[in-house]
Every structure is written in structure tokens, then in C-alpha cells.
Amino acid sequence: MAATVASSLQIMAARPCLSFSPGVVKAGAAILCSNPKTVLWPKLTNSCNISSLNPFRHGFRSSTVKFSKVVTKAMSESNENRPVSGLPIDLKGKRAFIAGVADDNGYGWAIAKSLAAAGAEILVGTWVPALNIFETSLRRGKFNESRLLPDGSLMEITKVYPLDAVFDNLDDVPEDIKTNKRYAGSSKWTVQEVAESVKQDFGSIDILVHSLANGPEVSKPLLETSRKGYLAALSASSYSYVSLLKHFLPLMNPGGSSISLTYIASERIIPGYGGGMSSAKAALESDTRVLAFEAGRKHKIRVNAISAGPLRSRAAKAIGFIDMMIEYSKANAPLQKELSADEVGNTAAFLASPLASAITGAVIYVDNGLNAMGIGVDSRIFKDLNIPSDKH
């Protein structure tokens, strides 16, 4: 994924290789440089192995792969002792659990990469029916190109956990799911069980990311949505976050951060985004504020949401018109460009860092400014107005 510079600040990230094999690259720190041209940043071309510690499947390692192109420049060992201006995004020694990573092209993956580039250790929770494909793709190196970090190494996922966030504990799981062949071979995948497994394996985490949603009737208008479909959307897309935070809070170190992903349909009409999904996103944002109060008072944990613009992810294709939404955004947003998943990932890294230590209960828009628009300026009604455009 190509890194995108969204302001005068350029993110320079160097990521430690967390491979269990010797020859580890010494860690650098992500830096926000006000003038990146003042320092020469040599490229690093190191690759590292991925180690899956999944107790339900055999461990695997990817082969070492060399890449000739490094998208973002990074600090090297020789530069570590040089004075550098700017503010650090340094998450070394922090551990993140990202719920909802099942491929390499969604926002969850991009967030994992940005957190890893800043030095965090990465754990992920993957929907059980997608677990085998996800792990197989990792093992066979299919994600190696998208695992590439700014320092030239590959993002390491320390452990992959099977997760179905619709179920709080085993008592909630209906018999037809327990016997479903897509769940065969996996165990301890309810929210409570995953939290207990993470505690047993690692003791604590510092960052919790909710990057999952599902609306079985998303293509139906709200007036045609069934009660079952509506409640299913809220269960999978909003209450799942309440459940995750409830069960993971006891594991989170004070000063930690929790982040969820929302969408502008929570407060604006988006025809075609149906099935109760707009209601689920509205609930998620309301819950973010309440959870920020409760988690902040009880555990000193910050809780925020990122309202992201449209992305050509596999999950987004379920609504059926994602390409149209992207073109609409490019035509009408203040910044006329396609949103990069990396831009959402970098915002998450900021929110998880000490730089955002006073930000909680907030919805941060990362959508090229589309949320600020009151009209679609590409309408023929405004054809005679001299509206600024990057085509001029």
C-alpha cells in the first residue's frame, strides 16, 4: 500500500523485527518530522519471519523475501544517535489486539501495520470461518508484499486467535454453530474465551482495536429490514465492541487506548447502506462516548472512534456500490483523492500513542473532509458556479 502524505508532517516509521530467530534489526521509532528533507534516510532491506503461536494450529514461518522497493524511508542504526526534530510515535513495548483482521486489504490490517511500524507487538482476532484461509495465506507468503513495513522488514503477527465477537461465551452459542463444519477444529473463540486466552498467553495488552461489522440485510432499505436482520447488525457491529471492551479492560494497562471504526451513515443518510447498519454505527458512536467515561474513570483507558471514508475492501463490496461511493467522494470532498487505508492506520497509531493522551470519547473523521460537505458539488445544478477543482 502506498504511503500517503496528508499534511506538511511526514511520518517516518521504523519497526523492530519481532522474529524469534537471531539477527534482529535494532528498533527505531516513528517520527513526525516537520522537515523531512533535513535528514537523509537510508533504506533498510531486511525481511523477518512471521511466527504464529496459534495453539489450535501448527506454527508456521514465512520464507525470507527481499523487496527492491521501499515505499517510506526509515531510520537506520547509524542514525539512531543523531538528534531528530519532531514528535515521536513510539509504541515499543506496547501490545495491541486487533479484532476483525481476515485479509490484507481492510482497515484492520492497515491499523495493524501502522501500530507495528511504531513498534507495537501485534495480536489479531480472526473470524473463525475465515481463519484457515487467513493463516494459510500468511504461511504461504501471499501477504508478504502488504506486510512490508517502512524499514523494509515484514510486519510480524505474534499470534492469531479465532474469534466470533457475536458470542460473549460458550453458553451463547447455538447448537447449529457449534456443529457447523466451518467452526470445526477451532475452540475458545467467544469473546470471553479469547480474552482469557490472551491473558494466559501474554498477561496484558495496551491497545484494543474493534475492526469488525456485519449486517446480513445491508442491501435492504430500512423499511424492508426484518427485526432479526436489524438486531443482528447491532449485535455484530456495535454490541460486539461493548463486549470486547468489557472482557479486555481487566487486561489493559492504565493509559491504554481502545479504537473502533465507524462511518458517516451514523449521522447522514446514505441510501443503499441499509439493514440497520446506519443504526448500528450510530449506536457505536454513542457507546464510544459512554465507554470513554466508564473506561476512563475505572481503568484510565481512552476510547475513540475513527469515522473512515469509503475503501475498496472485500468487506465493503458487500454493500454493492463501493466504487460509486469512492468516485462520489473524490468528486465532492475537499481533498479530491482516493482515501488510503494507511491514512486510517496512521490515525489509529496517533490515537494509541501518548501524543493523544487527552483525547477520548471522540469521533475522528478520516475521509478527506467529506463529512464537512453539505451538498454534492458535482451536481449539474451547480455547473455554472466556479467551484474549485483539481481539474482546473
Side-chain angles (χ1 to χ4, degrees):
M1 303 177 185
T4 303
V5 179
S7 69
S8 61
L9 298 178
Q10 180 175 352
I11 293 181
M12 299 290 193
R15 161 76 168 107
C17 174
L18 296 177
S19 173
F20 294 111
S21 58
V24 178
V25 175
K26 193 171 183 181
I31 303 294
L32 292 174
C33 296
S34 59
N35 187 0
K37 295 183 179 179
T38 60
V39 181
L40 295 177
W41 302 92
K43 295 180 180 179
L44 299 179
T45 56
N46 178 66
S47 297
C48 66
N49 295 325
I50 180 168
S51 300
S52 171
L53 302 182
N54 184 354
F56 315 115
R57 301 188 181 274
H58 296 295
F60 54 87
R61 288 181 180 272
S62 64
S63 58
T64 301
V65 180
K66 292 183 178 180
F67 294 88
S68 59
K69 182 179 180 181
V70 178
V71 176
T72 306
K73 296 180 181 179
M75 291 174 56
S76 71
E77 222 173 298
S78 62
N79 284 324
E80 282 186 350
N81 297 322
R82 296 184 184 181
V84 180
S85 62
L87 296 172
I89 294 182
D90 186 358
L91 298 176
K92 293 191 299 294
K94 305 298 183 181
R95 182 178 297 116
F97 182 87
I98 299 102
V101 180
D103 55 45
D104 66 337
N105 72 344
Y107 284 134
W109 178 272
I111 290 172
K113 281 187 64 178
S114 290
L115 295 178
E121 181 179 11
I122 304 300
L123 314 175
V124 303
T126 300
W127 188 46
V128 185
L131 180 67
N132 185 51
I133 295 176
F134 180 66
E135 287 193 325
T136 299
S137 296
L138 280 173
R139 184 174 64 249
R140 294 180 178 177
K142 291 184 177 180
F143 297 155
N144 279 0
E145 184 174 357
S146 54
R147 283 174 57 207
L148 186 65
L149 295 178
D151 67 353
S153 67
L154 300 182
M155 174 180 67
E156 171 145 344
I157 299 175
T158 302
K159 188 161 185 177
V160 180
Y161 291 88
L163 171 68
D164 193 329
V166 169
F167 304 108
D168 297 330
N169 52 60
L170 197 58
D171 293 336
D172 293 339
V173 183
E175 194 62 32
D176 62 323
I177 295 293
K178 291 179 180 178
T179 59
N180 191 306
K181 64 180 182 180
R182 296 195 298 172
Y183 287 74
S186 294
S187 60
K188 296 183 179 179
W189 41 260
T190 64
V191 176
Q192 179 181 339
E193 291 173 311
V194 173
E196 290 172 349
S197 295
V198 171
K199 181 179 181 179
Q200 181 178 355
D201 294 339
F202 298 98
S204 65
I205 65 171
D206 304 277
I207 303 162
L208 176 67
V209 179
H210 176 273
S211 179
L212 52 89
N214 182 50
E217 299 180 18
V218 65
S219 61
K220 291 184 178 181
L222 187 58
L223 281 174
E224 297 177 14
T225 300
S226 68
R227 181 184 298 270
K228 181 179 179 181
Y230 184 94
L231 294 177
L234 266 69
S235 174
S237 308
S238 52
Y239 185 77
S240 58
Y241 186 42
V242 177
S243 180
L244 278 168
L245 201 52
K246 172 184 176 181
H247 289 93
F248 275 87
L249 265 180
L251 282 67
M252 298 188 72
N253 295 315
S257 175
S258 183
I259 302 163
S260 65
L261 288 169
T262 185
Y263 181 50
I264 192 65
S266 62
E267 53 184 294
R268 299 285 190 271
I269 300 168
I270 307 293
Y273 191 74
M277 281 302 302
S278 58
S279 306
K281 291 302 185 183
L284 180 65
E285 293 179 19
S286 177
D287 292 343
T288 294
R289 292 183 284 272
V290 178
L291 292 171
F293 176 79
E294 296 181 359
R297 291 297 184 98
K298 292 182 179 179
H299 298 274
K300 298 182 180 179
I301 300 298
R302 295 179 292 108
V303 182
N304 294 293
I306 296 175
S307 184
L311 177 74
R312 285 189 179 92
S313 65
R314 291 186 181 90
K317 290 178 180 178
I319 65 175
F321 58 98
I322 186 63
D323 291 337
M324 186 186 305
M325 295 300 296
I326 291 172
E327 291 305 313
Y328 177 87
S329 179
K330 289 169 64 177
N332 293 285
L335 300 178
Q336 290 186 271
K337 63 182 182 62
E338 187 166 339
L339 183 68
S340 165
D342 292 338
E343 292 171 308
V344 172
N346 292 340
T347 301
F350 161 72
L351 288 173
S353 77
L355 295 180
S357 60
I359 300 176
T360 192
V363 175
I364 308 298
Y365 295 95
V366 185
D367 62 356
N368 289 323
L370 186 63
N371 71 92
M373 299 300 297
I375 57 172
V377 296
D378 62 344
S379 172
R380 289 178 295 177
I381 295 174
F382 302 105
K383 63 182 176 63
D384 294 329
L385 292 182
N386 186 24
I387 296 175
S389 172
D390 61 1
K391 296 180 181 180
H392 288 177

